[in-house]
Amino acid sequence: MMPTDESRMSQPRYAGVPTFMRTPYQTDLTDLDIALIGIPYDGAVTNRAGARHGPRDIRDKSSMMRAIHHVTKVNPYALCNIADIGDATFEALFDHDAVVRDIESFFARVHKAGVVPLSAGGDHSVSYPILKAIAKDEPVGLIHIDAHTDTWDEFQGSKFMHGTPFRRAHEDGLIDASRTIQIGIRGAQNTSEGWDYSLAQGMRVVFMEEFTQMGVDAVIQEARRIVGDGPAYLTFDVDGLDPVYAPGTGTPEIGGITTIEAQALLRGLRHLNLIGADVVEVAPPFDPSGNTSLVGATLMYEMLCLLAEVIADKKAMK
């Protein structure tokens, strides 16, 4: 007999085949509301690889998640049909253009089926092909939590790397700069190119010092004001957190967001019109304790609750 969602959640956490949040694994998108997806790719990092191992370890640590949110009392599994549909796969792993096409194709199938994607990377370059798949009809708003703006033009001659996804997305008309907010930005750079581009295009850049001065509640209100009621995508690079909480990442920057601030920030985004989300840059080889993957899994659960409420809101309006 196949276990039900309830019985699966009650099984010992060390038992069974690991899936995101212990949801069922299925490839059939019929009647699915939210697809949990892994993107095991870090071929676009500038220095410390390792995020390719993120999805597998996040799946493992996500067995620690439970059903009902202790603050909002949301149970995403009671609101939506949710499953782990596996990982995006690659035909030519060392060809950047082919990787973009493979990820875009995978997510286009999900989007065509009317399913909302929640993903675990992988490096931050993966957000670009996701947006190519789900925002091709109209530009969307963007809530981007990160230490870096990721709006460089290129690195070592390549325009596809983990510091360029949102420049590429903006150039392609996938994101609306006036409805984009980048939160937690910090760290010295060898060039101000990324900061300059974001600001020149009209993106709202909340540097970490301003975040600290404003406080979480004010940043939430700013994010809600910027994004408005239109469709928006949520992306969380774990290097947006202080590395004391998430050392297992490729480009750590001290002086970042705490985990309790991150949770409060995400909870403050309830009922926004989110069409997808991702957690990226979890690199388990740099954190033998496994804590960064646990943080990634917990952030993913917070996002799952947000997406489930949005879908429930839309169902109620029909």
Side-chain angles (χ1 to χ4, degrees):
M1 180 182 295
M2 292 294 289
T4 63
D5 288 348
E6 291 79 9
S7 67
R8 188 179 290 104
M9 280 286 182
S10 66
Q11 292 299 307
R13 293 189 177 95
Y14 51 81
V17 177
T19 62
F20 288 121
M21 318 295 167
R22 294 192 286 178
T23 55
Y25 169 72
Q26 67 180 64
T27 56
D28 183 0
L29 298 174
T30 305
D31 297 325
L32 201 59
D33 295 310
I34 300 174
L36 308 180
I37 302 166
I39 314 174
Y41 177 76
D42 65 4
V45 299
T46 53
N47 184 19
R48 304 200 308 173
R52 68 187 68 179
H53 302 289
R56 180 172 291 188
D57 210 40
I58 291 173
R59 279 189 174 96
D60 185 25
K61 300 305 184 291
S62 74
S63 67
M64 299 298 293
M65 301 302 105
R66 299 179 180 90
I68 305 171
H69 196 289
H70 76 284
V71 175
T72 66
K73 303 304 186 287
V74 169
N75 179 347
Y77 313 103
L79 297 176
C80 295
N81 294 323
I82 303 165
D84 185 331
I85 67 167
D87 289 348
T89 56
F90 310 104
E91 295 295 327
L93 190 60
F94 301 106
D95 181 335
H96 288 331
D97 291 337
V99 166
V100 171
R101 290 193 298 270
D102 286 340
I103 297 173
E104 180 184 1
S105 176
F106 187 96
F107 280 82
R109 181 175 69 89
V110 173
H111 183 62
K112 184 177 181 181
V115 180
V116 174
L118 173 56
S119 312
D123 70 53
H124 218 159
S125 69
V126 304
S127 296
Y128 170 55
I130 294 173
L131 287 166
K132 282 175 69 71
I134 71 173
K136 62 181 180 180
D137 296 328
E138 63 173 326
V140 300
L142 181 71
I143 301 173
H144 171 203
I145 304 165
D146 201 327
H148 314 99
T149 62
D150 292 352
T151 48
W152 290 0
D153 187 26
E154 63 177 41
F155 180 77
Q156 293 287 302
S158 177
K159 288 183 175 290
F160 176 70
M161 41 81 76
H162 70 159
T164 64
F166 303 115
R167 185 158 181 162
R168 299 288 87 83
H170 179 251
E171 291 171 344
D172 286 0
L174 304 173
I175 59 174
D176 180 347
S178 69
R179 296 183 55 237
T180 293
I181 184 167
Q182 301 183 302
I183 302 169
I185 308 304
R186 65 190 187 280
Q189 298 286 311
N190 291 326
T191 171
S192 63
E193 177 185 40
W195 307 327
D196 294 343
Y197 183 88
S198 292
L199 293 168
Q201 302 306 316
M203 299 179 189
R204 176 67 167 97
V205 181
V206 181
F207 286 90
M208 193 61 210
E209 290 71 23
E210 184 182 7
F211 180 98
T212 302
Q213 184 179 42
M214 291 176 66
V216 175
D217 289 344
V219 173
I220 289 169
Q221 293 308 311
E222 182 72 344
R224 297 183 73 91
R225 181 186 71 82
I226 293 292
V227 172
D229 297 329
Y233 189 78
L234 172 61
T235 181
F236 200 126
D237 184 330
V238 294
D239 72 27
L241 301 169
D242 192 287
V244 71
Y245 303 99
T249 192
T251 315
E253 303 281 1
I254 70 164
I257 298 169
T258 69
T259 47
I260 197 166
E261 288 172 333
Q263 288 177 296
L265 178 58
L266 291 175
R267 292 166 194 167
L269 305 178
R270 294 177 70 188
H271 303 293
L272 290 179
N273 187 12
L274 299 175
I275 63 168
D278 64 51
V279 177
V280 297
E281 298 284 357
V282 171
F286 294 109
D287 183 6
S289 75
N291 191 62
T292 306
S293 296
L294 175 62
V295 168
T298 308
L299 295 175
M300 196 172 177
Y301 169 75
E302 293 279 357
M303 292 178 172
L304 180 61
C305 291
L306 294 177
L307 295 176
E309 278 197 293
V310 172
I311 291 168
D313 289 344
K314 292 178 179 179
K315 286 180 178 180
M317 293 174 63
K318 291 182 177 179

